[in-house]
Structures are given as structure tokens and as C-alpha cells.
Amino acid sequence: GQNIDQPTEMTATEGAIVQINCTYQTSGFNGLFWYQQHAGEAPTFLSYNVLDGLEEKGRFSSFLSRSKGYSYLLLKELQMKDSASYLCAVKDSNYQLIWGAGTKLIIKP
Amino acid sequence: ETGVTQTPRHLVMGMTNKKSLKCEQHLGHNAMYWYKQSAKKPLELMFVYNFKEQTENNSVPSRFSPECPNSSHLFLHLHTLQPEDSALYLCASSQEAEIHPLHFGNGTRLTVT
């Protein structure tokens, strides 16, 4: 079967750095997405990786290793507004999105 | 403003009621989706419409009935639901099916009593 694993919950301190990991086992691979979802709001697109390496976008970076079936989302200079759930999703060989259950990130002052 | 608008935001219904969820996208996209989001579970894809044609029905019970009158509007008709159907129902759109990223609405929080 197809599976996406990510931690259920993480806690970090304002101003610090946090890394949210995502591992996947899917039938084929056509890209990996990270979405951010604040409580009671719509998930919003953060990043897309299809080749190995690091993609940087401001305070957020996303890394992919296809050989290891592994990605992480790195958040720097954490702000209180970064408290949200972070969803990892992989597009498989049929271009279907396989979703993880999400990681709830709690930022403390 | 997300570009995808869902109404109502909250809905409480009894198991014998009939109600409809509405979704409208203002992004000029050709694909629209219904997802179910339950606590601590992955998003579950329910239905996909691409250019108004239904292309996915992921073994969804017949008590959920989608309707897509045009590329901008999507409905989910509900009847004789069960308490386990209580969840957040998210609508999304994309340029075309299989072309991502998805743009989501804020969802309808459904409670079945």
C-alpha cells in the first residue's frame, strides 16, 4: 500500500528553527508538496519538490531525497503565526495525491 | 480570500435531513475536488471533476452525491448521513486535474447528530 509518515505533533520556540520530516512509500513519484493549514482555515500551498535537493523560499525551505523516500520542511526564525498543521503529500505514478495525516506545530514564546 | 469559497462554514444536521454544500472558485480553474478531512487522518479524496466531467469517485457512499453544473461551481448533496460522516469537507480547485497545486476553500464543518 501507499503511505506517508510524518510526526503527529511538534513543539518549538519562537525565533528558533524546526524541521518537520516526511517519509513516503508510494507507487511511483511525480513530486512532493507541503501545505500549511491554520486551524479552521484552508490548506495553502507552501512548496513543491520533484528533484533532489533543497528549495528555499524565504524563511521556509523544503528538501527532497528520492532515493530515501524522504523530505523535510525547515522553518527558520519561527513566529507565533507559524503555529499550524503542515501537510505532506506525494503525487504517485497515476498523478494521484497521497496525503500524510499532517504535523501540528505548536510555537511557544 | 482564498479564491475558493465554501458555504456554509458550519452545518449541523440530523440523520434524516437533506442538505447541500456549495463551493465556488474564482480562479478560472477547470478541475474541482471534494475532500473529507477527519481529525488526525490524511485528507480523503472523494470526487474529482475535470472540465465538468466526473473523473474520480473514490468508493464514496451514495449518501454523498456531487454535482458540477459548470467549471466554477461544485455541490455536495447530503442525505441520510451517519454520525461518522461528521468531518471537515474541503473543496479545492486546480488548473486541470493532475496539475497542481490545489487551491482549497475554508471548508464546511459538518456535524451529524
Side-chain angles (χ1 to χ4, degrees):
Chain A
Q2 306 201 88
N3 194 49
I4 308 283
D5 286 313
Q6 48 180 134
T8 303
E9 188 174 298
M10 299 182 70
T11 303
T13 305
E14 189 177 15
I17 298 173
V18 71
Q19 178 175 309
I20 302 174
N21 295 326
C22 171
T23 58
Y24 61 90
Q25 301 90 39
T26 57
S27 302
F29 178 85
N30 279 298
L32 184 144
F33 297 82
W34 285 97
Y35 284 79
Q36 179 190 61
Q37 185 178 23
H38 287 100
E41 296 185 13
T44 55
F45 169 71
L46 284 179
S47 67
Y48 172 65
N49 294 70
V50 67
L51 299 176
D52 291 350
L54 188 68
E55 295 278 345
E56 297 187 74
K57 196 184 293 185
R59 294 188 299 113
F60 292 11
S61 302
S62 57
F63 172 83
L64 174 68
S65 169
R66 288 172 295 171
S67 62
K68 295 182 179 179
Y70 167 69
S71 172
Y72 66 73
L73 182 68
L74 190 71
L75 291 72
K76 302 177 184 176
E77 302 169 16
L78 286 170
Q79 302 175 10
M80 298 303 293
K81 67 179 182 179
D82 297 329
S83 292
S85 289
Y86 291 86
L87 312 180
C88 175
V90 171
K91 196 189 302 187
D92 69 9
S93 58
N94 293 320
Y95 295 91
Q96 301 299 310
L97 271 182
I98 311 302
W99 293 85
T103 298
K104 182 178 180 180
L105 178 62
I106 300 169
I107 309 297
K108 295 186 175 180
Chain B
E1 178 58 54
T2 65
V4 179
T5 304
Q6 289 187 243
T7 55
R9 289 297 307 273
H10 301 273
L11 178 62
V12 179
M13 59 186 290
M15 289 189 285
T16 58
N17 291 158
K18 289 185 180 180
K19 296 287 185 183
S20 296
L21 310 185
K22 179 182 177 182
C23 177
E24 183 175 0
Q25 58 96 1
H26 315 277
L27 301 169
H29 289 166
N30 293 303
M32 296 188 77
Y33 310 75
W34 279 117
Y35 276 93
K36 177 182 179 181
Q37 187 175 36
S38 302
K40 299 183 179 180
K41 290 186 177 179
L43 287 175
E44 297 175 46
L45 179 64
M46 300 175 72
F47 303 104
V48 181
Y49 280 81
N50 197 37
F51 293 93
K52 300 188 297 178
E53 297 298 319
Q54 185 175 315
T55 58
E56 289 280 341
N57 178 343
N58 280 3
S59 303
V60 179
S62 59
R63 57 185 184 269
F64 295 92
S65 174
E67 178 189 1
C68 187
N70 54 62
S71 293
S72 299
H73 293 84
L74 186 65
F75 296 89
L76 188 62
H77 304 300
L78 315 172
H79 65 96
T80 59
L81 293 191
Q82 304 298 312
E84 59 265 29
D85 296 323
S86 298
L88 181 68
Y89 288 85
L90 290 165
C91 173
S93 71
S94 66
Q95 186 177 344
E96 290 181 24
E98 303 173 1
I99 296 180
H100 300 126
L102 299 174
H103 296 256
F104 287 89
N106 284 329
T108 295
R109 173 66 63 185
L110 174 67
T111 303
V112 181
T113 60

